[in-house]
């Protein structure tokens, strides 16, 4: 049973209750004893049913829910914490200190308007709202919210579908610094993600006798293991890189590095090279799309392409309009025969 008492310099009644033989002391946020007794009665009812003790939903803030989400992703490993932190940074600036129960559709609409005025695309804002929905859904399951509000979806532009033809790639490639040329070539051949999969590649993942390089579980975006057999071009790049690494005379775990130091990202150098090549609109992710298209053009089955590049669903082919030119030619031939 909970007991009520008053604290010095506090206008509210406080309660003390035991949960798993541990005392919990909190404010009822009630000024009169009668209201405090009613609140404690509700609290004891929830305890008897095994429910959470967070009856005062109005005291829970966005900051608490954000911490819960970060803890959830840390313990489950279901999301890239760096990306989640980037999305939460924008949400924090707007919702910090806000009560969870006040995060309603009108308030989210204000957030969307602010982000649009800052120049964010609707697709970017939709991703941020999805993180917010995930946060509120987790709070609901944890008993910290009575319900999860519904938010209107934004009209987003079709997924970006930029590609790099070989001639364009080599034009950009020649303007890159020497230490970035090998990882960029590997990314263009394999379709692996530059940041999380190519730049983080270690020598322990390269099997020269077995002629494959591997991604260990948890390394890529999907978290699933993957391998890519080495063709002559890939083997040549990696063997030259190994020779350069051995000349440094010390143990370096990373395949691609700058004088022994791990390369964190290529953004600045990539933008500079694209500008010099007269292709300022090209982004690193275009290499991933191009690699998939090159594989399809080479006649590799789509399922095999997905296993090599790490795409979990066929949506990538629909989103990027990637199809075999041979299939299109065959279709036009059949049309002519009608």
């Amino acid at each position: 049973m909970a007991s009520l008492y008053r604290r010095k310099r506090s206008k509210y009644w406080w309660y003390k209750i035991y949960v798993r033989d541990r005392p919990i002391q909190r404010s009822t946020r009630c000024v009169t004893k009668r209201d405090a007794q009613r609140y404690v009665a509700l609290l004891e009812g929830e305890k008897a049913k095994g429910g959470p003790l967070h009856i005062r939903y109005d005291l829970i803030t966005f900051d608490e829910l954000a911490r819960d989400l970060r803890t959830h992703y840390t313990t489950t490993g279901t999301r890239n914490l760096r990306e989640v932190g980037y999305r939460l940074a924008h949400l924090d600036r707007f919702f910090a200190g806000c009560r969870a129960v006040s995060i309603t559709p009108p308030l989210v609409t204000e957030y969307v308007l602010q982000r649009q005025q800052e120049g964010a695309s609707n697709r970017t804002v939709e991703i941020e709202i999805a993180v917010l929905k995930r946060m509120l859904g987790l709070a609901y399951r944890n008993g910290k919210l009575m319900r999860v509000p519904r938010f209107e979806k934004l009209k987003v532009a079709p997924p970006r579908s930029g590609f790099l033809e070989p001639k364009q790639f080599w034009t950009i490639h020649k303007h890159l610094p020497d230490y970035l040329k090998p990882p960029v070539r590997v990314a263009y051949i394999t379709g692996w993600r530059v940041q999380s999969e190519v730049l983080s590649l270690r020598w322990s993942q390269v099997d020269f006798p077995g002629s494959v390089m591997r991604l260990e579980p948890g390394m890529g975006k999907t978290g699933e293991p993957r391998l890519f057999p080495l063709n002559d071009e890939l083997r040549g790049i990696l063997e030259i890189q190994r020779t350069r690494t051995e000349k440094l005379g010390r143990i370096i775990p990373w395949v691609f590095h700058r004088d022994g130091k791990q390369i964190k990202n290529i953004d600045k150098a990539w933008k500079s090279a694209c500008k010099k090549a007269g292709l300022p609109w090209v982004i690193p992710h275009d290499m991933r799309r191009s690699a998939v298209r090159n594989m399809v053009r080479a006649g590799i089955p789509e399922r095999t392409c997905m296993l090599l590049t790490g795409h979990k669903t066929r949506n990538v082919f629909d989103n990027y309009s990637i199809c075999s030119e041979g299939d299109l030619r065959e279709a036009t031939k059949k049309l002519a025969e009608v």
Side-chain angles (χ1 to χ4, degrees):
M1 298 292 292
S3 58
L4 289 170
Y5 64 97
R6 296 291 294 268
R7 282 189 174 182
K8 291 182 179 180
R9 306 186 190 88
S10 176
K11 64 179 181 180
Y12 300 119
W13 283 87
W14 288 65
Y15 71 89
K16 181 178 181 181
I17 194 170
Y18 285 85
V19 178
R20 298 188 186 94
D21 297 327
R22 296 181 61 182
I24 294 178
Q25 301 179 65
R26 293 176 182 168
S27 170
T28 65
R29 306 287 290 185
C30 298
V31 177
T32 67
K33 188 174 183 179
R34 186 179 182 84
D35 289 339
Q37 288 172 335
R38 289 173 178 171
Y39 170 71
V40 168
L42 290 173
L43 190 69
E44 290 173 342
E46 289 295 317
K47 180 186 174 186
K49 292 187 294 184
L53 298 182
H54 299 282
I55 303 299
R56 292 301 301 266
Y57 300 107
D58 57 318
L59 301 182
I60 298 171
T61 64
F62 167 88
D63 309 76
E64 181 178 342
L65 302 189
R67 287 194 299 270
D68 289 346
L69 185 68
R70 288 187 174 94
T71 302
H72 172 74
Y73 285 145
T74 300
T75 54
T76 61
T78 52
R79 286 292 184 275
N80 185 310
L81 289 177
R82 181 174 180 178
E83 181 181 354
V84 172
Y86 175 75
R87 305 299 179 186
L88 282 175
H90 294 289
L91 294 168
D92 286 342
R93 285 193 295 110
F94 186 88
F95 292 104
C98 181
R99 294 184 303 160
V101 293
S102 66
I103 302 177
T104 56
L107 185 63
V108 173
T109 300
E110 291 182 25
Y111 172 77
V112 171
L113 179 60
Q114 176 176 302
R115 293 290 288 128
Q116 289 173 336
Q117 291 173 344
E118 293 172 351
S121 68
N122 280 3
R123 182 169 295 277
T124 297
V125 178
E126 270 288 291
I127 295 174
E128 294 167 2
I129 297 302
V131 173
L132 180 63
K133 289 179 182 177
R134 181 76 174 114
M135 182 192 305
L136 298 176
L138 182 64
Y140 174 76
R141 293 201 304 275
N142 290 342
K144 294 187 176 183
L145 275 181
M146 289 290 291
R147 61 184 180 85
V148 179
R150 297 182 61 182
F151 306 130
E152 294 293 331
K153 287 196 171 189
L154 303 178
K155 183 178 180 180
V156 300
R160 182 185 169 97
S161 56
F163 295 97
L164 267 177
E165 295 295 341
K167 184 178 180 180
Q168 294 175 318
F169 171 76
W170 287 111
T171 303
I172 295 172
H173 181 271
K174 73 179 182 180
H175 292 294
L176 289 169
D178 290 339
Y179 70 91
L180 279 186
K181 290 179 178 178
V184 165
R185 284 180 63 191
V186 169
Y188 188 68
I189 295 169
T190 63
W192 285 11
R193 299 172 179 89
V194 178
Q195 190 76 23
S196 59
E197 298 172 354
V198 176
L199 295 183
S200 62
L201 195 67
R202 295 172 177 257
W203 287 114
S204 59
Q205 298 166 240
V206 179
D207 181 4
F208 282 108
S211 197
V212 296
M213 57 183 189
R214 308 174 188 275
L215 280 185
E216 305 298 339
M219 286 196 62
K221 183 177 180 179
T222 63
E224 296 180 355
R226 194 187 322 154
L227 62 83
F228 201 105
L230 302 181
N231 58 19
D232 292 341
E233 185 177 4
L234 276 175
R235 177 178 282 275
I237 295 170
L238 294 174
E239 285 180 346
I240 292 174
Q241 191 67 15
R242 181 171 62 174
T243 301
R244 290 174 177 171
T245 302
E246 290 173 348
K247 285 182 179 179
L248 294 177
R250 61 183 188 274
I251 297 176
I252 299 171
W254 300 286
V255 175
F256 304 110
H257 53 84
R258 185 178 185 181
D259 298 325
K261 296 181 180 179
Q262 185 182 15
I263 304 171
K264 297 295 184 180
N265 64 70
I266 69 169
D267 293 343
K268 186 175 181 180
W270 178 266
K271 289 179 181 178
S272 176
C274 289
K275 187 176 181 179
K276 292 177 182 177
L279 301 166
W281 60 84
V282 177
I283 62 174
H285 198 74
D286 290 339
M287 292 190 289
R288 180 165 169 80
R289 283 183 280 265
S290 302
V292 176
R293 188 178 67 171
N294 292 341
M295 293 177 191
V296 173
R297 280 177 171 178
I300 301 174
E302 291 179 359
R303 177 58 182 164
T304 304
C305 294
M306 292 166 61
L307 292 173
L308 290 171
T309 60
H311 289 101
K312 296 189 71 172
T313 68
R314 196 189 177 282
N315 289 344
V316 64
F317 297 96
D318 298 329
N319 289 342
Y320 302 155
S321 300
I322 298 173
C323 59
S324 169
E325 293 179 2
D327 292 341
L328 296 179
R329 293 193 184 96
E330 186 66 25
T332 55
K333 286 180 182 178
K334 291 179 179 180
L335 182 63
E337 296 172 358
V338 175

